[in-house]
């Protein structure tokens, strides 16, 4: 019993070999090992049968084939999407500047995920070093989420500290990748066909790490506003170096890997994140107490958009290259396809997250507009019902209290009390003071509704307050535009 427990919980190796050991080694391991080890080796043996006869007999060591993603890899994917969700909640997309910032942050996030994935699908083997490396990669993702709260490349002079922190995160990520690829080279140091492309990988990450470290010292309050473009040059350079070298040396190619599966799983997770965002929009609709047939139709349309993306993407066939039977394989995925397929996911995922976010915000906007239309119709009805300013003030007070209560807003904060007081004492409903005060009540109610739905004006200007007192509401311009 004690012996079986020791076998089951054997010590984790510091650095595990990513090389394929052959079927006879798997049998011996089966005789020695635990049930978990047996299942792992059985999966590898199954993958081993897919490796061509030429590759097995060429004398060049082959790496363990991967059929499915491990739990820690899926966990890393969840960190990626959680990071994206956090950034989306903090940085709503309202204009061209915010959408550029959103795409820029998403590019850094996505290509960092890609480089970690490219290593995992080819050389990822459970070991102490790999677990430490994965923990650091997860920490980098968490740090991205923290940095994302202040990410704004349009104002580098104001946010240069954030830019420096992001540069340091990219530097740490590249150093870890260098250590991971370096551990692989320890097992194949006499195989030039493998060490050459791995050296190219390491050199590209080393160059990227040096540049990111340099950016850390370059960013300052007086630095050029275009320094951050260097990040994107680095991530593109790294991706191209890995893909080009992998296509030239088949020993480190993406054949017999689960790269396509990892990209597909990330797509499904992003779709799931879109459903979460859509659900939040539904919550705002319910809070707005205006669950009309139009809103229901838009929700159904949003669900159909998500489902159609899944149906179009999920059954997408994997192109294969037919080979003669003498090769030992009937079909094999072409190396170039893996590269193009993986890179094509970046614009696809970018468009996907924007479509999902846009769909969610459109539902929110449509419901807000229905409430605004209702406020305007009630306002018009009240204004045409009487010319007694005291009666108008009482009716506007009731209307304001109801709307602001539903929007969980403070009447004093939105200056409604001051506007109504001015209206009540104006004496003449047709006077400029009365008209201005009533109009300010209407604009304030519209602004409170928009803020409740987290709809922000793209441009904010400072205007002099009217008779209701000091006006610091940033939604004033948008409210005026809607009323006009």
């Amino acid at each position: 019993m004690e012996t079986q427990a020791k076998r089951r919980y054997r010590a984790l190796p510091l650095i595990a070999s990513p090389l394929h050991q052959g079927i006879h080694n798997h049998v011996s391991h089966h005789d020695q090992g635990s049930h978990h080890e047996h299942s792992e080796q059985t999966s590898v043996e199954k993958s081993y049968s897919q490796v061509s006869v030429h590759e097995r007999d060429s004398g060049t060591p082959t790496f363990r084939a991967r059929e499915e993603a491990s739990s820690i890899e899926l966990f890393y994917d969840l960190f990626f999407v959680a990071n994206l969700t956090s950034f989306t909640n903090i940085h709503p997309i309202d204009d061209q500047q915010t959408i550029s910032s959103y795409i820029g942050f998403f590019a850094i996030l996505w290509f960092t995920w890609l480089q970690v994935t490219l290593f995992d699908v080819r050389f990822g083997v459970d070991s102490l070093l790999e677990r430490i490396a994965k923990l650091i990669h997860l920490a980098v993702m968490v740090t991205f989420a923290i940095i994302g709260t202040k990410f704004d490349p349009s104002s580098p002079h104001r946010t240069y500290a954030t830019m420096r922190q992001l540069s340091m995160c990219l530097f740490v990520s590249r150093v870890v990748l260098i250590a991971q690829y370096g551990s692989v080279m320890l097992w194949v140091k006499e195989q030039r066909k493998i060490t050459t492309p791995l050296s190219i990988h390491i050199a590209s990450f080393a160059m990227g790490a040096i540049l990111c470290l340099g950016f850390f010292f370059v960013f300052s309050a007086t630095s050029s506003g275009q320094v951050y473009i260097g990040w994107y040059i680095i991530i593109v350079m790294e991706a191209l170096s890995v893909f080009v070298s992998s296509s030239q040396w088949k020993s480190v190619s993406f054949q017999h890997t689960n790269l396509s599966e990892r990209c597909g799983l990330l797509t499904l997770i992003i779709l799931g994140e879109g459903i979460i965002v859509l659900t939040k929009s539904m919550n705002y609709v319910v809070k707005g107490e205006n669950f009309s047939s139009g809103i229901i139709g838009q929700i159904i349309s949003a669900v159909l958009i998500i489902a159609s993306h899944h149906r179009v993407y999920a059954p997408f066939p994997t192109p294969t290259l037919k080979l003669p039977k003498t090769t030992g394989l009937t079909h094999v995925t072409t190396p170039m396809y893996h590269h193009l397929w993986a890179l094509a996911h970046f614009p696809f995922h970018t468009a996907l997250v924007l479509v999902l976010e846009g769909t969610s915000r459109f539902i929110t906007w449509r419901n807000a507009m229905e409430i605004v239309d209702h406020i305007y119709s009630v306002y018009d009805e009240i204004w045409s019902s009487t010319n007694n300013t005291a009666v108008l003030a009482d009716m506007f007070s009731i209307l304001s209290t109801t709307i602001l209560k539903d929007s969980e807003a403070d009447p004093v904060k939105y200056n409604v009390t001051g506007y109504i007081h001015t209206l009540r004492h104006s004496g003449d409903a047709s006077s400029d003071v009365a008209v201005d005060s009533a109009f300010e009540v209407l604009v304030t109610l519209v602004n409170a509704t928009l803020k409740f739905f987290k709809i922000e004006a793209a441009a904010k200007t400072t205007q002099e307050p009217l008779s209701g007192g000091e006006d610091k509401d940033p939604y004033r311009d948008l409210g005026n535009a809607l009323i006009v």
Side-chain angles (χ1 to χ4, degrees):
M1 192 73 175
E2 182 180 356
T3 304
Q4 291 179 353
K6 290 182 178 179
R7 291 174 180 173
R8 185 175 181 84
Y9 301 103
R10 63 185 181 86
L12 189 69
L14 177 61
I15 303 176
S17 173
L19 297 176
H20 205 293
Q21 304 298 325
I23 296 179
H24 63 280
N25 286 341
H26 296 303
V27 175
S28 63
H29 280 294
H30 168 70
D31 294 336
Q32 300 173 4
S34 63
H35 173 73
H36 172 72
E37 186 179 0
H38 166 70
S39 61
E40 179 183 356
Q41 299 297 342
T42 302
S43 177
V44 176
E45 286 181 16
K46 184 178 178 181
S47 302
Y48 181 76
S49 64
Q50 299 174 357
V51 182
S52 67
V53 174
H54 173 71
E55 288 176 336
R56 294 198 299 253
D57 298 339
S58 61
T60 301
T62 57
F63 294 97
R64 302 186 185 188
R66 303 293 299 276
E67 287 188 334
E68 58 185 17
S70 64
S71 58
I72 187 63
E73 292 171 355
L74 296 177
F75 191 59
Y76 181 74
D77 294 348
L78 292 177
F79 266 69
F80 171 89
V81 177
N83 200 328
L84 180 62
T85 303
S86 175
F87 185 80
T88 303
N89 291 335
I90 297 174
H91 297 274
I93 303 175
D94 299 312
D95 51 24
Q96 183 177 358
Q97 177 178 321
T98 54
I99 194 173
S100 299
S101 175
Y102 188 93
I103 295 176
F105 186 80
F106 180 78
I108 294 174
L109 197 64
W110 192 89
F111 277 95
T112 300
W113 170 88
L114 177 66
Q115 292 298 346
V116 175
T117 300
L118 294 182
F119 177 86
D120 289 339
V121 299
R122 293 180 295 173
F123 312 117
V125 181
D126 191 22
S127 66
L128 183 59
L129 177 63
E130 284 302 306
R131 292 189 181 186
I132 294 175
K134 190 63 67 177
L135 285 175
I136 297 177
H137 286 309
L138 292 175
V140 168
M141 279 292 176
V142 173
T143 308
F144 278 157
I146 298 174
I147 294 174
T149 59
K150 298 181 180 179
F151 181 80
D152 186 10
S154 63
S155 304
H157 304 297
R158 181 171 56 88
T159 60
Y160 69 91
T162 301
M163 301 300 189
R164 296 180 67 183
Q165 294 167 2
L166 185 55
S167 297
M168 183 55 63
C169 280
L170 293 174
F171 169 76
V172 172
S173 176
R174 272 57 191 172
V175 170
V176 175
L177 287 171
I178 291 173
Q180 289 180 290
Y181 280 106
S183 67
V184 176
M185 290 190 66
L186 294 177
W187 299 95
V188 294
K189 54 187 176 181
E190 296 180 357
Q191 298 293 331
R192 188 174 180 180
K193 291 182 178 180
I194 301 178
T195 57
T196 300
L198 290 182
S199 298
I200 295 176
H201 292 11
I202 293 176
S204 65
F205 290 125
M207 184 179 299
I210 293 174
L211 291 175
C212 288
L213 183 60
F215 292 155
F216 175 82
F217 296 101
V218 169
F219 281 114
S220 65
T222 59
S223 61
S224 173
Q226 305 299 320
V227 176
Y228 70 92
I229 296 178
W231 291 335
Y232 306 103
I233 297 176
I234 291 173
I235 60 179
V236 172
M237 175 199 70
E238 291 173 342
L240 290 178
S241 66
V242 171
F243 281 124
V244 171
S245 58
S246 299
S247 64
Q248 295 297 320
W249 285 272
K250 294 184 178 180
S251 56
V252 294
S253 70
F254 296 97
Q255 293 188 45
H256 316 299
T257 67
N258 61 332
L259 178 60
S260 297
E261 180 200 15
R262 288 295 303 278
C263 293
L265 289 174
L266 183 63
T267 302
L268 295 179
I269 295 176
I270 291 176
L271 285 172
E273 187 269 344
I275 296 175
I276 295 175
V277 174
L278 180 60
T279 303
K280 290 182 179 180
S281 298
M282 294 179 183
N283 291 335
Y284 281 113
V285 170
V286 173
K287 287 182 179 180
E289 298 182 359
N290 196 24
F291 217 100
S292 64
S293 58
I295 296 299
I296 295 176
Q298 291 179 43
I299 293 175
I300 294 175
S301 299
V303 174
L304 291 177
I305 289 175
I306 295 177
S308 63
H309 276 85
H310 173 263
R311 292 305 305 164
V312 169
Y313 177 84
F316 195 88
T318 302
T320 55
L321 177 66
K322 294 185 177 180
L323 299 175
K325 294 182 178 180
T326 55
T327 60
L329 288 176
T330 56
H331 295 78
V332 73
T333 308
T334 58
M336 186 55 67
Y337 164 75
H338 280 291
H339 307 161
L340 297 177
W341 175 256
L343 289 176
H345 276 77
F346 171 66
F348 173 67
H349 286 164
T350 303
L352 185 60
V353 295
L354 292 177
V355 167
L356 295 175
E357 178 65 16
T359 301
S360 172
R361 291 180 66 81
F362 182 80
I363 292 176
T364 304
W365 171 266
R366 181 65 181 82
N367 187 60
M369 292 303 98
E370 284 195 359
I371 297 178
V372 168
D373 290 342
H374 174 69
I375 294 174
Y376 185 79
S377 63
V378 174
Y379 170 92
D380 186 60
E381 181 180 350
I382 293 175
W383 189 258
S384 60
S385 63
T386 180
N387 60 358
N388 188 314
T389 55
V391 175
L392 287 174
D394 291 339
M395 298 177 70
F396 278 130
S397 178
I398 296 173
L399 173 64
S400 302
T401 302
T402 303
I403 298 299
L404 294 178
K405 182 178 180 181
D406 292 340
S407 300
E408 302 176 359
D410 183 5
V412 178
K413 178 181 178 181
Y414 283 90
N415 303 317
V416 174
T417 303
Y419 294 136
I420 293 177
H421 178 77
T422 302
L423 174 63
R424 185 185 302 276
H425 295 83
S426 60
D428 183 5
S430 60
S431 66
D432 292 340
V433 175
V435 173
D436 288 346
S437 299
F439 180 75
E440 287 300 322
V441 172
L442 174 62
V443 172
T444 302
L445 296 180
V446 172
N447 292 341
T449 301
L450 297 177
K451 190 169 185 178
F452 171 74
F453 286 99
K454 297 184 179 180
I455 299 174
E456 186 175 353
K460 302 174 185 177
T461 59
T462 302
Q463 294 185 3
E464 292 296 329
L466 295 180
S467 55
E470 185 180 5
D471 186 0
K472 296 182 179 180
D473 187 3
Y475 297 84
R476 176 188 178 92
D477 298 328
L478 183 56
N480 279 288
L482 291 172
I483 297 304
V484 174

